[in-house]
Amino acid sequence: QQGGSPPPLRRPTAKAMQRSVAVLGDDVALGQGCPISKSFVDEIQRVLEPHGVDVLNWSREEQTVAVCATEQLNDLQAQLQDTVATSSQTAVVIELGIHDRVFLGEMLGDTLQMLVRVVQDMNAIPIVMQVVPDDVDQRVAQDLGAAFVPAPASLVEQFAKDPKHPFIPHPDAHKDLAKNLLAVLGKELQLPLAADDKKDTLLAGGQRRDSKTAADGHGSGFDGVWMHKDQPSLLEIIKDGIIKSDDGSSAKVQPISHDSFFIEQQGHRVSAEVRGNELIWSDGDIWCRVENFGVPTMGRPPQRKSKGDMNSFMAAWEQAEEACLQTTKELRKNEIGSERERLEHERARLEDARQQLEDGMQTLHEETEKVSTLREEVREVEIRQSRGIFGCCSAG
């Protein structure tokens, strides 16, 4: 935008030139069953290091999407924040789901969507890597506009012969996994890799990104109504190569490719890329598309899309929160059960103490009665003795 106050988070940032690729995976990314240094992570590291790309392996044994998107979410965000802050580009390869499919298959799509959203929100590039050749990973990547690494033919054949869960790829398949992943990384990070980018490298939706520059921004895929993700009340309209804001300011769209462009703002160049239903800005700002067709006027409220929009994301988020809530309730039930047992034990102990006290009081009462009786007897004896002495004196 030009003129007026700049939108939130629209500030150029200075970053180091290092690029980073973080692999968020499970046993597969750790090379289970592979010879040492022969996993697909080792393969891509050998290829990317000469290009100045730092490969980080954040994988854990038996790691699941559900745990990453809930219990480990804060740790993941902290790791991402540190990496993004020191890198010019950060790509996060999400190789997860083999264990989710065993017990949490119904939630896999929703939790994977949450995880991709988290990566996008941290201004990193999510890359969904398919190991199990079903449609879950590809569907999530397609809905959110994330890059997608399809399972190689060797894995498809292995799964067809032995479709069991958790599915562990044959060690020989890791080279094919690395090849497909490098092809996508080359495109996303714009690296001159030697990998064949014409095989098994389709992005979400079965379309390839190319570097062909549009002649102008008219009638492009940028047109529509967009809202700021962090401030939904702020709306922007892109039409005929111009961004118009509700405060009256405007900026000219300068196309880079069919899905990216830049604008000049206060002497700085800020670029943006369309990813699914989101517009990802180079300075960290994110806009969400809020209308399916046409470009309405400011006086006509936009209608949100029914698929892949904030509503569907919030629904997935609520489902995951409900799962976490159920887990928390179960934990609380266990805690309450333990506390109830402790209270019952304490009550029984207090009841025993009360009974002992009552028994003691009864014994004390009985002893007091005995003492009183003895005192009365002693007094009677003393009186009788006293009377006997006085009687003798009178007789004398």
Side-chain angles (χ1 to χ4, degrees):
Q1 296 176 340
Q2 295 177 339
S5 300
L9 299 180
R10 181 55 54 78
R11 295 183 296 275
T13 57
K15 293 184 178 179
M17 295 305 294
Q18 183 185 22
R19 297 176 181 181
S20 298
V21 172
V23 180
L24 186 61
D26 44 40
D27 311 64
V28 179
L30 292 176
Q32 179 175 329
C34 287
I36 297 176
S37 301
K38 294 296 184 181
S39 71
F40 78 85
V41 178
D42 297 314
E43 293 286 341
I44 68 168
Q45 187 170 18
R46 280 190 284 271
V47 174
L48 294 179
E49 278 187 348
H51 294 275
V53 179
D54 188 20
V55 178
L56 309 170
N57 197 344
W58 294 348
S59 306
R60 299 182 183 181
E61 289 185 3
E62 299 184 357
Q63 187 156 249
T64 64
V65 181
V67 171
C68 285
T70 53
E71 295 177 18
Q72 296 175 4
L73 182 59
N74 291 337
D75 294 338
L76 175 60
Q77 288 175 318
Q79 280 182 305
L80 265 174
Q81 185 175 10
D82 291 342
T83 304
V84 170
T86 57
S87 305
S88 60
Q89 277 185 304
T90 301
V92 179
V93 179
I94 302 174
E95 180 280 302
L96 289 170
I98 64 170
H99 296 291
D100 295 81
R101 286 172 169 85
V102 178
F103 301 109
L104 302 170
E106 294 181 356
M107 293 181 57
L108 179 56
D110 293 335
T111 52
L112 186 56
Q113 269 201 358
M114 287 178 58
L115 204 54
V116 171
R117 287 281 191 179
V118 167
V119 175
Q120 291 174 332
D121 290 345
M122 300 296 291
N123 203 26
I125 303 170
I127 299 176
V128 181
M129 186 172 185
Q130 183 187 53
V131 172
V132 180
D134 53 25
D135 64 343
V136 178
D137 303 281
Q138 184 174 12
R139 186 171 63 247
V140 170
Q142 183 174 357
D143 288 346
L144 299 184
F148 174 65
V149 182
S154 56
L155 280 190
V156 176
E157 183 179 354
Q158 179 186 341
F159 188 73
K161 293 180 179 179
D162 189 15
K164 65 180 180 181
H165 295 295
F167 177 66
I168 303 297
H170 190 276
D172 294 341
H174 278 255
K175 283 189 176 181
D176 297 330
L177 285 168
K179 182 179 179 181
N180 283 8
L181 177 54
L182 285 169
V184 175
L185 286 171
K187 286 180 175 292
E188 295 299 319
L189 301 181
Q190 297 181 349
L191 296 172
L193 303 181
D196 181 7
D197 61 357
K198 295 182 179 180
K199 181 179 180 181
D200 290 337
T201 59
L202 289 179
L203 298 180
Q207 297 179 347
R208 301 180 188 275
R209 293 183 181 174
D210 56 47
S211 58
K212 182 180 178 181
T213 302
D216 55 33
H218 298 178
S220 68
F222 317 133
D223 285 1
V225 178
W226 303 83
M227 72 175 180
H228 291 251
K229 189 170 185 177
D230 60 341
Q231 287 188 282
S233 61
L234 296 180
L235 294 179
E236 315 280 351
I237 289 181
I238 303 179
K239 183 180 180 182
D240 296 334
I242 301 294
I243 300 177
K244 295 181 180 180
S245 303
D246 51 9
D247 62 0
S249 60
S250 63
K252 185 178 180 180
V253 171
Q254 303 285 348
I256 299 174
S257 68
H258 72 282
D259 59 359
S260 62
F261 64 87
F262 71 88
I263 63 171
E264 296 286 345
Q265 181 191 22
Q266 299 178 352
H268 297 285
R269 177 175 291 191
V270 188
S271 61
E273 180 182 6
V274 177
R275 296 183 188 172
N277 296 309
E278 289 189 340
L279 194 60
I280 311 298
W281 291 87
S282 59
D283 59 8
D285 201 6
I286 299 176
W287 295 358
C288 301
R289 190 189 294 273
V290 292
E291 189 162 70
N292 259 330
F293 51 87
V295 180
T297 63
M298 285 295 180
R300 178 158 59 92
Q303 298 177 349
R304 297 189 177 184
K305 301 179 75 173
S306 62
K307 181 178 180 182
D309 61 3
M310 292 295 292
N311 288 336
S312 61
F313 168 63
M314 290 304 298
W317 182 271
E318 289 171 1
Q319 290 178 13
E321 282 189 333
E322 179 63 24
C324 293
L325 183 60
Q326 291 296 332
T327 302
T328 303
K329 285 181 179 179
E330 291 298 324
L331 291 174
R332 286 179 179 172
K333 284 181 181 179
N334 294 336
E335 292 175 357
I336 291 173
S338 300
E339 183 67 12
R340 184 179 290 113
E341 290 179 2
R342 188 188 69 79
L343 291 175
E344 287 292 332
H345 178 73
E346 186 68 14
R347 187 190 65 79
R349 188 185 68 79
L350 291 175
E351 182 65 25
D352 291 341
R354 186 188 65 79
Q355 188 62 46
Q356 292 176 8
L357 180 60
E358 289 182 353
D359 293 343
M361 292 292 290
Q362 181 65 30
T363 301
L364 179 60
H365 178 72
E366 292 174 355
E367 292 297 326
T368 302
E369 290 291 332
K370 289 180 182 180
V371 170
S372 297
T373 301
L374 288 174
R375 284 179 178 173
E376 290 296 329
E377 292 176 354
V378 169
R379 185 176 298 174
E380 289 179 1
V381 170
E382 290 177 344
I383 291 173
R384 284 198 299 271
Q385 289 177 346
S386 175
R387 287 176 179 175
I389 293 174
F390 290 137
C392 294
C393 292
S394 299

